[in-house]
Each structure stands twice: as structure tokens, then as C-alpha cells.
Amino acid sequence: MNQRSKVFKFGGASVKDAEAIRNVADILQKYRQETLMIVVSAMGKTTNALEKIVEAHAHQDGKALELLEELKLQHYRIMAELFEPDDEVYALVNDTFVEIEWVLDDEPHDNYDYMYDQIVSVGELLSTKILCAYLNNVALPSQWLDARDVVQTNELYREAWVQWQETEERFLKNAQPLLDKGGFVVTQGFIGATQENFTTTLGRDGSDYSAAIFSFCANAESMTIWKDAQGVFSADPRFFAEAKMLSEMSYDEAIAMTYYGAKIIHLKTVGPLKRKHIPLHVRSFLEPETGGTLISENEVDAYPPLLAVEVNQALLKITNKDFSFVTEQHFSEIFAAISDLRMQVTFIQNTPLTLYLCVFNQGEKVAQLAGRIQETLGTEAVTGLELINVRHATPELLGQLRSTRKVLVEQTNGATAHLVVEMS
Ligand code: ASP
Ligand code: MG
């Protein structure tokens, strides 16, 4: 039996330019004896740039090729710093860009999300081709794996669901033999393919989840996410000066925090790791010597208050126009409309005369919802809000939050508190 593999995930910031890519190679030098699966995002802000190309193509505004040219230049500029002019990586990268040109040559596809996935997935194909070639050049033998030969999904483009059994089978067939050869295997985060081999994506920031899928299939010894932060913090340090780095966290705590909106790791990442008891390390690619955060089944004795904030919230105050109660029949009508509109509810509180719901304030959806249920109910919507979720809340922290923000509604369940507040 070969040694168990480890899975590393490197996000867009860790491969954003030539210096960053050299830094990744430096980190990997220390693991040259290990069997490593390396899952990589698109370089820097490439995914955003590709989204703009999709939009330009859909609107046929004539800008798509220009935007593509810009993206090519960015990639070639970085490559010029890393490779000799005759390196074969240039041909590989060229061929990959041609895949986008083919899509742009055609009329825009009727299914926007399908077209999106065919174009946006190219970001990860490019970054992995470049990183893999560079690692080989610096004597870190690496094989390139097309993630679409492993991750099989349904046809829900832009938000595809993994088909686990098929994915495990494809992993054994297409990835395990590469790991068995030794050295590193470099593959893409974020992307998969349908059974008919159409490219899909798993949703923005999905590379963490991809790494968890590979970890699950490989029965990995551990997974590591290399980030531009030292680890997981008790709150977003940009907004809460008191935020502390956590050296340890349980799976369940991490699942709860991502559910409540913490952007530490992609929402779906921890579940598959928990099922297979695979520890997750979150570490800094800028300070690889520091310990980072370990997320595992170990229970942690005491947590500081943990804050996760959902921004861009709207609070709906739903009342019965005749001042009678909001009843079960109303609930079923309201939630049917919410589900039809594919809205996401982040907070619910019912009081004798008012049902409070917090939702993401996306486009026209709040107005559409109000329109659908207006017959019997009055709906008032307050926008420009955020929802602060606090686990392990202390009276001091809650007092501080209340005194520095305008709180519209609040709810507490044991040591977990939810405050709907005006954006600060
Ligand atoms: N490149 C994709 C994104 O920017 C996936 C990821 O970075 O995880 O959303
Ligand atoms: Mg990213």
C-alpha cells in the first residue's frame, strides 16, 4: 500500500502572479517526499474577468474578444517571468485559450449558465497548466489531471451537484493511478463535468469544496487550505478589531460558522471531511511556518465569541392587514413564494402580529415576493441591513454590538445570538 495522500488547495491569491507561483513552489519543496494532490483556483481575479467575457458575449456588445485579449496578456506577462520563451507551456496555454475563442465564434447559447460554465472553467485549466509546468521545471515532478475526468455532477450549471458514487469510481480510475506513480498531481478546483462530459462549475469559491471532494475520494490523511490569512479567525478582522486566530475548531463549529455566513471556507467543504474524519488545516501561504487552524473532530473546550456576518440583507415585516395573526396558511403561501423565487432566508422570527424574515436583497426578488403575497398580507421591507450571527456570545460583546449599531430585531438561542442591524 502506498502512503496516504495529502490534499492541498491553493486559492487564486496564492497564484496571482509570478512571485506568488514561485512562493507556492517554495512551500511545496518541503513536501517533495509526499504524495500530494494539489487543487488550484484560477489566478488572481481571472474568474471575475471571465464572467465579464461571458456577459459581453451574451449581450453581443463587441467587447468579448477585447476582454479576452486583456486576460491573455495578463497570463502571458506572468508566464514570461517564469518560463524561457521556447517552453512548451506556451502551446498548452494557447490551446486552452482557443477553447474560449470557439465559444465566442458561435452565437450566444440560449442557456446562459451552460455558456458561463464552458467559458469560466477555463481559468482553472490555465492556472493548473502553468503551475504544473513550473513545478516540473523546478524539479518537482508533477502530473496534470483534468478534474472533469473525476468530479461528475448533475446538469445544474453554475451550481452543479456532485454525483458521489460516479465521482469515487472515476477517481479510482483516473486519479489514483497518478498518485500511485508518486510525485505531485495538480488539478483544478471549481470545475466538474456531467455524465455527457459537458463542463460544469460548483459555484463561486468552489475550489475548497473540490479539494474536499478529492480528499474524500482519496481517503486523504489530511487536507490543507493555503490562504492569505494565518488561519480561521473568530470574526472578520477587517470589521472586528478584537478578532482572534483560532488554533483549533471542531467540524461542527466550522459547519455552523460557514452556515451563518463566515467566508472562511466554502460552505460545502467540511461535510465530506467530517464523514471521513479527515482533518482540515487552514494555513497561510505568506507565513507557511505559522501553525494555522486545525479543524477536526476534536472537541474544543472554550471558544471566544465567533461572529459571522451576512451582508446585503433585507428584513421583511409581514403582517396581516386586519391585525389578526399570521397563521400556518400564510406561512405555506409565503414560503412557497420564497422557494419559487429561489430566495434564501437567513433569519426567521414570529411574534403575535408580525413575521420577520431576513433574506438576501437580490435584484427584484424582494419586490416580487411582496407582490405575490400582497393579497392578504402587508409586507414592509427594510433594506441596507446586515445580519450578525454570534456563537458563544457573551453579554459584554452583545452589549457592545447593541451600543454601536442600530438593531432592528434580535433573537437568542442558548449562546447563539442573531442581530439584524443597519449596515455600519
Ligand atoms: N475561481 C473560482 C472563483 O473565483 C473558484 C475559487 O476560487 O474557489 O470563484
Ligand atoms: Mg477564490
Side-chain angles (χ1 to χ4, degrees):
M1 178 76 190
N2 290 302
Q3 65 173 333
R4 277 173 80 194
S5 45
K6 292 188 170 127
V7 174
F8 280 5
K9 182 260 175 171
F10 287 99
S14 68
V15 290
K16 71 179 198 297
D17 54 26
E19 190 190 335
I21 290 176
R22 284 193 205 100
N23 177 55
V24 167
D26 283 345
I27 292 174
L28 292 173
Q29 286 290 356
K30 299 186 195 80
Y31 297 89
R32 52 186 318 138
Q33 308 301 338
E34 309 244 10
T35 308
L36 273 193
M37 179 122 212
I38 301 165
V39 179
V40 188
S41 300
M43 291 159 73
K45 301 275 176 247
T46 300
T47 305
N48 294 351
L50 288 165
E51 282 187 340
K52 293 214 175 78
I53 295 175
V54 178
E55 230 164 275
H57 184 51
H59 297 135
Q60 292 286 290
D61 62 9
K63 296 214 180 81
L65 280 175
E66 205 178 298
L67 291 169
L68 177 63
E69 217 41 52
E70 219 172 279
L71 189 66
K72 277 189 186 174
L73 276 178
Q74 278 170 22
H75 279 78
Y76 288 132
R77 233 178 272 134
I78 294 169
M79 287 164 69
E81 289 185 50
L82 296 172
F83 301 101
E84 297 296 327
D86 60 350
D87 199 292
E88 50 199 43
V89 68
Y90 287 98
L92 288 175
V93 165
N94 246 330
D95 291 349
T96 309
F97 276 119
V98 169
E99 288 187 32
I100 300 186
E101 282 160 19
W102 279 337
V103 181
L104 299 184
D105 277 345
D106 286 339
E107 293 286 300
H109 199 278
D110 301 337
N111 181 344
Y112 187 94
D113 292 347
Y114 166 83
M115 185 175 73
Y116 175 103
D117 282 359
Q118 308 319 301
I119 292 179
V120 169
S121 55
V122 169
E124 271 69 14
L125 297 173
L126 292 165
S127 64
T128 50
K129 286 186 179 172
I130 293 169
L131 180 68
C132 189
Y134 184 72
L135 295 178
N136 279 305
N137 285 357
V138 295
L140 289 170
S142 302
Q143 306 162 82
W144 188 82
L145 169 69
D146 192 327
R148 296 170 297 183
D149 292 336
V150 175
V151 180
Q152 186 175 311
T153 72
N154 68 2
E155 279 151 30
L156 190 61
Y157 293 101
R158 283 184 85 166
E159 220 181 298
W161 294 21
V162 174
Q163 294 172 331
W164 284 95
Q165 197 186 330
E166 292 81 356
T167 299
E168 284 194 87
E169 285 163 16
R170 286 172 169 219
F171 183 91
L172 280 180
K173 185 160 160 264
N174 299 321
Q176 192 60 52
L178 300 184
L179 290 170
D180 290 344
K181 280 195 219 161
F184 298 163
V185 174
V186 176
T187 195
Q188 306 79 47
F190 184 51
I191 72 173
T194 65
Q195 194 179 0
E196 287 77 38
N197 277 323
F198 292 111
T199 303
T200 52
T201 64
L202 307 178
R204 286 303 306 264
D205 297 326
S207 294
D208 294 343
Y209 182 39
S210 298
I213 297 165
F214 284 108
S215 300
F216 183 93
C217 293
N219 285 309
E221 184 186 318
S222 66
M223 169 171 152
T224 304
I225 297 179
W226 295 91
K227 285 180 81 85
D228 53 3
Q230 284 173 330
V232 175
F233 281 74
S234 58
D236 188 330
R238 286 170 304 174
F239 304 116
F240 292 95
E242 303 85 353
K244 290 193 193 75
M245 224 270 287
L246 304 167
S247 57
E248 259 199 85
M249 197 176 201
S250 70
Y251 289 129
D252 292 346
E253 198 65 43
I255 289 171
M257 289 305 287
T258 50
Y259 173 80
Y260 286 133
K263 300 288 174 286
I264 38 175
I265 24 182
H266 185 270
L267 181 62
K268 293 183 182 168
T269 310
V270 181
L273 302 177
K274 176 177 159 139
R275 276 169 65 198
K276 290 242 176 144
H277 316 282
I278 299 169
L280 169 61
H281 301 272
V282 179
R283 298 179 58 181
S284 163
F285 63 78
L286 298 169
E287 296 170 58
E289 308 305 332
T290 58
T293 303
L294 168 65
I295 299 171
S296 72
E297 53 199 350
N298 299 347
E299 286 306 323
V300 173
D301 289 339
Y303 289 99
L306 303 179
L307 282 83
V309 180
E310 299 280 24
V311 294
N312 192 27
Q313 300 291 299
L315 179 69
L316 308 177
K317 299 185 198 172
I318 303 175
T319 48
N320 204 327
K321 283 178 180 162
D322 64 6
F323 300 110
S324 60
F325 302 138
V326 179
T327 63
E328 285 72 12
Q329 283 81 356
H330 301 124
F331 276 33
S332 78
E333 183 193 338
I334 295 162
F335 280 93
I338 285 175
S339 147
D340 289 349
L341 291 164
R342 293 182 71 181
M343 294 171 83
Q344 216 185 316
V345 177
T346 49
F347 173 93
I348 304 177
Q349 179 165 292
N350 199 23
T351 64
L353 291 179
T354 310
L355 169 66
Y356 294 94
L357 296 177
C358 231
V359 295
F360 284 94
N361 186 21
Q362 297 165 300
E364 302 299 304
K365 287 189 179 178
V366 169
Q368 283 168 352
L369 178 70
R372 273 203 42 177
I373 56 179
Q374 220 155 43
E375 291 301 305
T376 44
L377 303 167
T379 308
E380 191 196 324
V382 188
T383 57
L385 304 179
E386 54 191 23
L387 170 66
I388 304 180
N389 299 300
V390 191
R391 286 174 62 82
H392 314 284
T394 58
E396 297 74 50
L397 177 75
L398 291 177
Q400 186 196 329
L401 289 172
R402 287 184 198 115
S403 66
T404 49
R405 287 163 176 79
K406 177 155 189 262
V407 180
L408 283 84
V409 252
E410 185 177 332
Q411 192 176 73
T412 322
N413 289 315
T416 303
H418 310 278
L419 287 78
V420 179
V421 305
E422 280 182 0
M423 292 264 252
S424 46

